[in-house]
Amino acid sequence: NAGVTQTPKFQVLKTGQSMTLQCAQDMNHNSMYWYRQDPGMGLRLIYYSASEGTTDKGEVPNGYNVSRLNKREFSLRLESAAPSQTSVYFCASIPGGRTDTQYFGPGTRLTVL
Amino acid sequence: DAKTTQPTSMDCAEGRAANLPCNHSTISGNEYVYWYRQIHSQGPQYIIHGLKNNETNEMASLIITEDRKSSTLILPHATLRDTAVYYCIEDNFGNEKLTFGTGTRLTIIP
């Protein structure tokens, strides 16, 4: 049981490039989330998916798109990366509709030059 | 915006109890208080949550005041591995969107 996995662990992009961050969970959880964490700051919610086939915006969705491919996978796409998107990105999942425990992945450290 | 208020940083001697306060004066009746921690650059880790009553698990105890406007997370015997940023979060039952503030950076002193 790997929990929540994220790929890649590190990524450097040039301004304007695109990329997709991958997240997968093997716990049969319904809901999945993407957060970003800037240096010295708390986590901010980008997008979340309450169930397979649904997605909703969080606090800071601009510049991102998401896709809930199936129950296991939730990807985050940057269509045209900007230096302001330099951050650590965390994916999380919870069993059902109630946030009693969120399980977080190890994070993806993204630098946009 | 985060609806809770926590001290920016705290120190605690190893082996002593670490008491981390949190103010949530605008909490509504159906909102739980959750505590997570983030060790170094890892993903946050769930610690404990509660509504009205005090709660205890293998990691910590949570003391919630009777008016529910504040709470205290207690790590009974702090170790060096408890050095982390601790987040106190309000959660609206059924609302899946947790809002993380900047938390309290707890440093355990040998």
Side-chain angles (χ1 to χ4, degrees), chain B:
Chain B
D1 291 340
K3 295 180 284 185
T4 61
T5 304
Q6 300 176 251
T8 303
S9 63
M10 293 180 62
D11 293 338
C12 179
E14 187 179 15
R16 304 295 294 268
N19 296 279
L20 290 86
C22 178
N23 288 323
H24 31 81
S25 57
T26 61
I27 196 169
S28 61
N30 59 352
E31 285 186 319
Y32 283 66
V33 178
Y34 289 77
W35 284 84
Y36 283 75
R37 72 180 182 184
Q38 188 173 23
I39 296 174
H40 195 44
S41 302
Q42 299 175 21
Q45 174 191 25
Y46 165 82
I47 302 173
I48 199 168
H49 74 285
L51 182 63
K52 295 181 185 177
N53 300 321
N54 299 337
E55 302 288 344
T56 296
N57 63 19
E58 65 278 4
M59 290 182 67
S61 295
L62 176 60
I63 308 299
I64 302 173
T65 58
E66 192 169 343
D67 63 7
R68 301 189 68 240
K69 294 185 184 300
S70 66
S71 61
T72 301
L73 178 75
I74 301 172
L75 308 177
H77 304 287
T79 70
L80 298 178
R81 287 175 292 181
D82 291 322
T83 292
V85 177
Y86 288 77
Y87 297 99
C88 168
I89 303 162
E90 292 176 12
D91 168 47
N92 194 6
F93 183 84
N95 179 350
E96 301 180 349
K97 295 183 278 188
L98 295 181
T99 300
F100 287 77
T102 54
T104 296
R105 181 171 298 278
L106 175 67
T107 303
I108 306 302
I109 310 295

Side-chain angles (χ1 to χ4, degrees), chain A residues 19-107:
Chain A
M19 79 160 295
T20 300
L21 281 64
Q22 306 286 354
C23 174
Q25 51 89 10
D26 61 0
M27 297 174 285
N28 201 37
H29 287 176
N30 288 324
S31 302
M32 298 184 73
Y33 305 79
W34 276 107
Y35 293 89
R36 62 177 286 176
Q37 185 173 33
D38 300 332
M41 304 291 289
L43 281 76
R44 292 184 293 171
L45 183 66
I46 306 172
Y47 271 94
Y48 71 102
S49 170
S51 61
E52 184 179 352
T54 68
T55 60
D56 284 286
K57 296 178 180 179
E59 181 185 355
V60 288
N62 291 344
Y64 304 95
N65 287 304
V66 290
S67 179
R68 184 75 182 269
L69 303 170
N70 47 55
K71 193 170 187 179
R72 288 188 64 248
E73 299 171 292
F74 188 37
S75 62
L76 179 72
R77 182 160 179 83
L78 287 71
E79 292 291 351
S80 179
S84 61
Q85 295 178 303
T86 293
S87 191
V88 181
Y89 292 84
F90 289 101
C91 178
S93 69
I94 64 168
R98 164 87 187 281
T99 51
D100 53 352
T101 303
Q102 284 204 4
Y103 295 81
F104 284 82

